[in-house]
Amino acid sequence: MKILILGGTQFVSKRLAKSLIEKGHSVSIFTRGRLPVDYDGLSNHFIGDRRCEKDIFLISKVDFDIIFDISAYTVEDIKYVVPHINRTNLKKYIFCSTGAVYADTTDLASERSICSYNENWGSYGVNKHEIELYLEKEYHASGFPVCIVRPTYIYGPQNNLYREMYFMDRISSNQIVPIPNSKNTVQFIYIDDLIEIFEALMLGNCTGEIFNVTNSEAVTWEHLVLTIADCINIPAKIKKIDSQSALPVRSYFPYRDCTYRLSIEKMKSFLLPVPSTNLTCGIKKTYDWYLKTGLPIYKNTKMTKIDDVLAL
């Protein structure tokens, strides 16, 4: 198939591009050109700003079978893309949204759950949902072949967000890991499981549908840290930080401290591949990459109070 990926140089979009190329598809990407492409096999690399109508003309005359939109975060990111892309043979426009669109809840959120502002996610979830609404409106108005995916936390090799690697760094250097003292539970999805679902959506009867995607395993923060410690075979030193602390959780911890669980019953009913990589297996694969690449250096600019919270 002839495929366009909006994105292509970071974590999810890069892994998707490489997988599709390996399977023999003709893959092009559209990026701002700020990051290098460190893999081979692309048919085209279109460079431009998706918020610039003139730049979108670069892809408007090209006939694609499938478009994956991995890089849209606000409606501004699609207002020129959707009207101008060539729909002659377009079978699917697969948009990567997020489970952060749902209202705050401790229950499993299904695709029918309320979507609204969630203070845990702020504008991120609201902006993604606004894109969904725009795409759904286009689907009902013109039959635009959109399919929307809402994943939970994505992890795995080459994750550019300093999350699982943060814990690996601290545990392997025998440092204390501060975590919120809460009973919140969260779900994760391993990158290759997500890519498998994306590829299945290209062929499935899913136009106009929205799918939650995640591994059904739900874990606490303590379980997450202990799992990583077990995988790297180094004991974890954990300090639980009570909510009375004046320091915001995101100033010392790489995740938002809220329950984040999605129902995947709809995904199952459409016979999409059920994520099968459990946390232990996924972390082991991620740690293998972490070691082979020479302990990659990442940072999180929000996490500036780790030492302060440990001093409490």
Side-chain angles (χ1 to χ4, degrees):
M1 287 190 179
K2 201 170 182 180
I3 299 169
L4 172 67
I5 299 175
L6 300 173
T9 54
Q10 297 239 58
F11 191 33
V12 175
S13 59
K14 180 165 70 172
R15 182 69 190 93
L16 176 61
K18 292 171 68 175
S19 178
L20 293 170
I21 290 168
E22 289 168 3
K23 290 178 172 62
H25 296 287
S26 172
V27 179
S28 299
I29 63 173
F30 181 95
T31 78
R32 290 176 294 179
R34 296 181 180 179
L35 295 174
V37 177
D38 59 359
Y39 55 93
D40 298 322
L42 288 173
S43 296
N44 288 289
H45 181 187
F46 301 100
I47 296 177
D49 184 347
R50 58 182 299 159
R51 295 189 175 193
C52 175
E53 188 172 19
K54 178 176 62 68
D55 288 354
I56 293 302
F57 288 151
L58 293 171
I59 58 174
S60 64
K61 303 301 181 183
V62 186
D63 190 8
F64 295 104
D65 298 303
I66 306 288
I67 296 177
F68 286 97
D69 193 341
I70 313 296
S71 61
Y73 290 93
T74 73
V75 171
E76 291 296 309
D77 292 328
I78 62 169
K79 72 175 186 179
Y80 294 130
V81 175
V82 174
H84 292 307
I85 56 176
N86 188 331
R87 303 188 187 186
T88 304
N89 291 310
L90 184 63
K91 299 174 181 64
K92 299 278 173 53
Y93 184 100
I94 301 170
F95 170 58
C96 186
S97 184
T98 171
V101 298
Y102 295 112
D104 192 14
T105 179
T106 57
D107 297 326
L108 279 176
S110 75
E111 291 83 355
R112 293 185 177 183
S113 296
I114 295 172
C115 294
S116 70
Y117 177 80
N118 183 328
E119 65 178 356
N120 297 298
W121 301 98
S123 60
Y124 171 66
V126 172
N127 290 339
K128 283 282 194 175
H129 189 228
E130 287 179 352
I131 296 174
E132 291 184 1
L133 294 175
Y134 180 103
L135 293 171
E136 286 183 293
K137 182 178 179 181
E138 193 65 25
Y139 166 72
H140 290 294
S142 65
F144 185 64
V146 65
C147 175
I148 296 169
V149 174
R150 293 173 176 167
T152 52
Y153 288 121
I154 308 165
Y155 74 104
Q158 299 186 341
N159 188 356
N160 58 298
L161 297 180
Y162 192 45
R163 289 175 170 168
E164 59 268 34
M165 270 69 76
Y166 160 73
F167 297 116
M168 292 174 185
D169 280 345
R170 291 195 74 82
I171 294 170
S172 62
S173 58
N174 206 33
Q175 297 183 82
I176 298 172
V177 180
I179 67 172
N181 187 16
S182 74
K183 296 182 179 180
N184 289 319
T185 55
V186 298
Q187 293 169 321
F188 296 86
I189 182 167
Y190 185 66
I191 180 63
D192 287 353
D193 286 345
L194 178 60
I195 298 306
E196 185 180 11
I197 292 168
F198 278 147
E199 292 173 347
L201 290 172
M202 293 194 308
L203 304 174
N205 182 22
C206 57
T207 302
E209 301 291 345
I210 298 175
F211 297 100
N212 290 339
V213 296
T214 188
N215 189 294
S216 58
E217 178 185 18
V219 301
T220 63
W221 299 129
E222 184 174 18
H223 182 96
L224 171 64
V225 176
L226 291 176
T227 298
I228 294 173
D230 286 344
C231 289
I232 68 178
N233 200 27
I234 298 175
K237 298 178 179 179
I238 295 174
K239 180 175 181 177
K240 295 182 179 180
I241 307 301
D242 291 328
S243 59
Q244 290 86 350
S245 167
L247 295 173
V249 170
R250 291 290 282 110
S251 70
Y252 67 87
F253 195 67
Y255 298 99
R256 295 161 175 83
D257 184 30
C258 61
T259 290
Y260 190 28
R261 298 185 300 137
L262 305 181
S263 167
I264 57 171
E265 292 307 307
K266 180 178 178 181
M267 186 188 79
K268 291 178 179 178
S269 73
F270 275 73
L271 303 180
L272 292 173
V274 177
S276 59
T277 306
N278 63 33
L279 187 63
T280 297
C281 181
I283 291 297
K284 284 181 178 178
K285 292 180 179 180
T286 305
Y287 186 60
D288 287 344
W289 165 80
Y290 174 87
L291 292 177
K292 290 176 183 177
T293 51
L295 309 184
I297 298 174
Y298 290 100
K299 63 179 180 178
N300 186 320
T301 57
K302 294 182 179 179
M303 293 170 59
T304 60
K305 302 296 183 181
I306 299 173
D307 292 336
D308 294 341
V309 79
L310 289 175
L312 293 175

